[in-house]
Amino acid sequence: MKIEVIKVDDVTIHEHHLNISYSADKFQFSTKIFYHDISFSSLQQKYSQEFIEKIASYIALFEGMKLCSLFPKYYDISRIAAHLEESVLELFVKIYQGVFCQHWYENNVTDYQQPEFIYAQNLGEANPVSILGDNRTILTGCGGGKDSIVTMKMLEEANIPFASMQYSHGVYGKADLQHNLIAGVVAEVNPVKSHKISIFDDFVDFPLFQLYFPENSGITAPETPVSVFESLFLMLDKGYNYLCLAHEKSANTGNMFWEEIGREVNHQWGKGLEAEQLLDQFVRDNLLSNFKYFSILQPIYDLRIFQNLSKYPEVIPKIHSCNIKKPWCKKCPKCAYVWLGLMAFCQTDIVDEVFQVNLFDDEDLLPIFQAMIGLSTHTPFECIGEIDESRLMMKKCLEKGLSGKALDIFTEEVLSNTKIDWEKIEYKYNSVYEKEHAIPGWLFEKTKEKL
């Protein structure tokens, strides 16, 4: 089955949530985005109804990108076209091609670049406004993983006020479970405020692909880019000028180079510096003139993040990173990778108490560990570090006296290579890179010693 047209059917702004309706030919879907502490009527009075509708239209545009998983020929944006401009369509294509390259690879699609936009009315024009007030509090995303807590601890220790922003999504399970897990992590620090966003999405909840598109690898969504636009309402409402996420330098490296189309495939592209700079500049030029978006962990690799995490053993039982079954399914690449980093640097008894199993001995995970250390065609399509980074962490596990089948494979296939310069690898992944980031200068000066 092929999809001809995906379409934004309607965008409704309620008092505390957005309701966005989509269609893909004969199929209908809805995405509901709840803001737990925002009044949209107050927000419209503070700025204008037209501007709030504009932000909602941007969110609708990018939330609709997930429907591009169906490889549609057209994307009908007539309903929101008056609130969009040509530049946002150009941004959409850049984001789509960066995020969805993995989806092309998994479906062996080499001749599809993006859907063609169609719209029945003229596009609008950019007219950026200023966020009212001068709130120096940094709005900081918190997904409940290691990166989030290290970021918040770093800001707290540098005496920089921050507010936490957490969101749940139906793809990860029940909203209350997700919020409760994240709240446990946020409880380890003292944010000025804690904000919640809850997303309910029947496109990802229903068995659409299994029943109607079984040959398709599944749904891809631009989670990080769309979350930037979804955060703008909080920034407008509370007067925050700074949006800080916790994306590490490792996200800039792809999983493989796909010769057939001449492009790198990077599962984490939406988290990388290129996407970050595109979004930061775009929002400032087109929507909010005094807006700044950055990742405070961009100057360091995962290896150093795990080291920094080891200073806070009390948070290890509370963090969670699994995208299959929270807190940990113990069967996926993400669980295996986080386990590896935790075992390399943190107190093993605490990690053992959380996982209660030696993942290095799990037969199902052996191919995943092998792929992590470069013994496969590409690294696993997950948010994990580079090949040499995983190798170095395995080496550190051995030096701690740890054992397991995955470590035996590493010893035989990698550690036996005497040409590997481990000192050079250690230097690369344990350094702080002072220039390759977009952190505001004043903030970097206050936090670089914490990195």
Side-chain angles (χ1 to χ4, degrees):
M1 183 182 294
K2 290 188 176 181
I3 293 295
E4 185 80 1
V5 182
I6 61 171
K7 182 180 180 182
V8 179
D9 289 321
D10 192 38
V11 181
T12 305
I13 301 175
H14 296 274
E15 180 63 6
H16 301 293
H17 79 283
L18 307 180
N19 189 81
I20 310 168
S21 302
Y22 297 99
S23 58
D25 289 351
K26 63 183 178 181
F27 300 105
Q28 284 83 43
F29 313 100
S30 71
T31 300
K32 296 177 175 64
I33 306 163
F34 288 82
Y35 293 83
H36 293 234
D37 59 351
I38 284 182
S39 160
F40 277 106
S41 58
S42 297
L43 201 54
Q44 288 172 340
Q45 289 176 359
K46 196 172 182 180
Y47 292 90
S48 73
Q49 180 179 340
E50 182 181 0
F51 188 67
I52 299 308
E53 289 177 353
K54 185 177 183 70
I55 302 288
S57 297
Y58 273 65
I59 293 171
L61 175 71
F62 283 94
E63 277 285 356
M65 190 183 288
K66 58 183 174 277
L67 275 71
C68 292
S69 301
L70 297 166
F71 299 104
K73 187 173 182 180
Y74 301 105
Y75 188 178
D76 187 343
I77 55 169
S78 300
R79 171 65 178 79
I80 56 176
H83 294 299
L84 306 177
E85 61 281 321
E86 191 67 40
S87 57
V88 76
L89 303 187
E90 295 169 3
L91 177 69
F92 182 98
V93 170
K94 289 178 182 176
I95 298 293
Y96 168 76
Q97 293 180 345
V99 170
F100 275 70
C101 197
Q102 176 189 333
H103 190 66
W104 299 343
Y105 176 78
E106 290 174 330
N107 290 279
N108 196 29
V109 171
T110 59
D111 57 355
Y112 184 87
Q113 291 296 304
Q114 76 270 338
E116 180 184 337
F117 292 106
I118 55 176
Y119 39 94
Q121 55 183 303
N122 292 332
L123 297 172
E125 294 182 359
N127 186 22
V129 306
S130 292
I131 299 169
L132 299 178
D134 185 26
N135 192 339
R136 303 288 281 183
T137 299
I138 295 173
L139 182 61
T140 307
C142 178
K146 72 181 195 313
D147 305 323
S148 299
I149 190 62
V150 167
T151 290
M152 293 188 296
K153 286 285 191 181
M154 185 165 59
L155 291 171
E156 189 168 76
E157 290 171 8
N159 295 313
I160 296 168
F162 67 94
S164 65
M165 175 183 69
Q166 64 186 67
Y167 83 93
S168 67
H169 197 295
V171 72
Y172 301 132
K174 296 290 186 183
D176 286 348
L177 169 65
Q178 293 177 62
H179 282 305
N180 289 339
L181 285 171
I182 298 172
V185 176
V186 174
E188 295 296 324
V189 288
N190 293 288
V192 174
K193 284 189 176 182
S194 297
H195 304 291
K196 293 181 183 179
I197 301 173
S198 300
I199 302 175
F200 298 86
D201 190 329
D202 59 25
F203 179 68
V204 300
D205 284 343
F206 291 170
L208 180 79
F209 279 68
Q210 299 96 304
L211 297 177
Y212 293 97
F213 306 94
E215 75 286 351
N216 192 308
S217 66
I219 296 170
T220 295
E223 276 200 68
T224 297
V226 76
S227 72
V228 171
F229 288 105
E230 286 164 348
S231 73
L232 299 184
F233 283 135
L234 277 172
M235 301 185 77
L236 287 166
D237 191 50
K238 310 304 179 187
Y240 302 134
N241 296 107
Y242 298 98
L243 173 63
C244 170
L245 297 186
H247 301 146
E248 70 289 342
K249 192 172 181 61
S250 312
N252 299 322
T253 301
N255 303 82
M256 61 173 290
F257 186 83
W258 191 9
E259 295 282 356
E260 198 159 348
I261 64 169
R263 287 186 65 130
E264 186 178 58
V265 179
N266 184 359
H267 175 82
Q268 302 186 80
W269 186 88
K271 294 170 52 181
L273 184 59
E274 181 183 357
E276 179 184 310
Q277 291 175 323
L278 276 172
L279 289 160
D280 173 52
Q281 191 67 51
F282 179 86
V283 173
R284 198 160 45 252
D285 289 347
N286 295 274
L287 292 172
L288 305 176
S289 59
N290 52 349
F291 165 90
K292 180 62 182 172
Y293 162 51
F294 58 93
S295 167
I296 205 161
L297 298 182
Q298 190 62 236
I300 58 175
Y301 283 98
D302 257 343
L303 185 95
R304 198 168 179 91
I305 295 171
F306 278 114
Q307 279 184 226
N308 290 344
L309 180 70
S310 69
K311 296 186 292 185
Y312 315 109
E314 70 278 4
V315 309
I316 292 173
K318 296 189 174 184
I319 62 171
H320 56 281
S321 293
C322 182
N323 295 322
I324 307 297
K325 181 182 178 183
K326 295 186 180 298
W328 306 105
C329 76
K330 307 175 192 176
K331 286 290 184 180
C332 71
K334 192 66 174 290
C335 286
Y337 179 73
V338 175
W339 154 273
L340 171 61
L342 292 175
M343 293 301 280
F345 291 105
C346 301
Q347 296 177 30
T348 53
D349 58 331
I350 297 177
V351 183
D352 283 335
E353 192 172 338
V354 172
F355 284 83
Q356 297 184 333
V357 63
N358 182 357
L359 298 190
F360 291 139
D361 276 331
D362 189 315
E363 293 285 348
D364 295 333
L365 291 177
L366 291 182
I368 291 172
F369 282 119
Q370 287 175 297
M372 281 184 200
I373 58 175
L375 302 179
S376 186
T377 53
H378 59 77
T379 53
F381 289 131
E382 250 300 352
C383 296
I384 66 172
E386 296 182 3
I387 290 170
D388 280 345
E389 200 167 5
S390 294
R391 289 178 170 185
L392 187 55
M393 289 193 284
M394 282 202 178
K395 184 171 180 287
K396 291 184 179 296
C397 286
L398 284 172
E399 290 167 354
K400 286 178 70 173
L402 303 179
S403 62
K405 294 176 183 177
L407 295 179
D408 292 340
I409 293 171
F410 168 73
T411 301
E412 184 177 341
E413 300 288 336
V414 178
L415 200 57
S416 60
N417 184 350
T418 56
K419 294 181 180 179
I420 295 176
D421 189 339
W422 292 105
E423 189 175 328
K424 184 179 179 181
I425 292 173
E426 176 92 40
Y427 180 80
K428 173 182 176 178
Y429 293 107
N430 208 12
S431 294
V432 176
Y433 293 80
E434 298 204 7
K435 295 182 179 179
E436 300 165 17
H437 62 79
I439 305 169
W442 67 269
L443 181 59
F444 185 65
E445 287 303 312
K446 286 188 173 184
T447 58
K448 66 181 180 181
E449 297 304 320
K450 310 290 182 183
L451 289 166

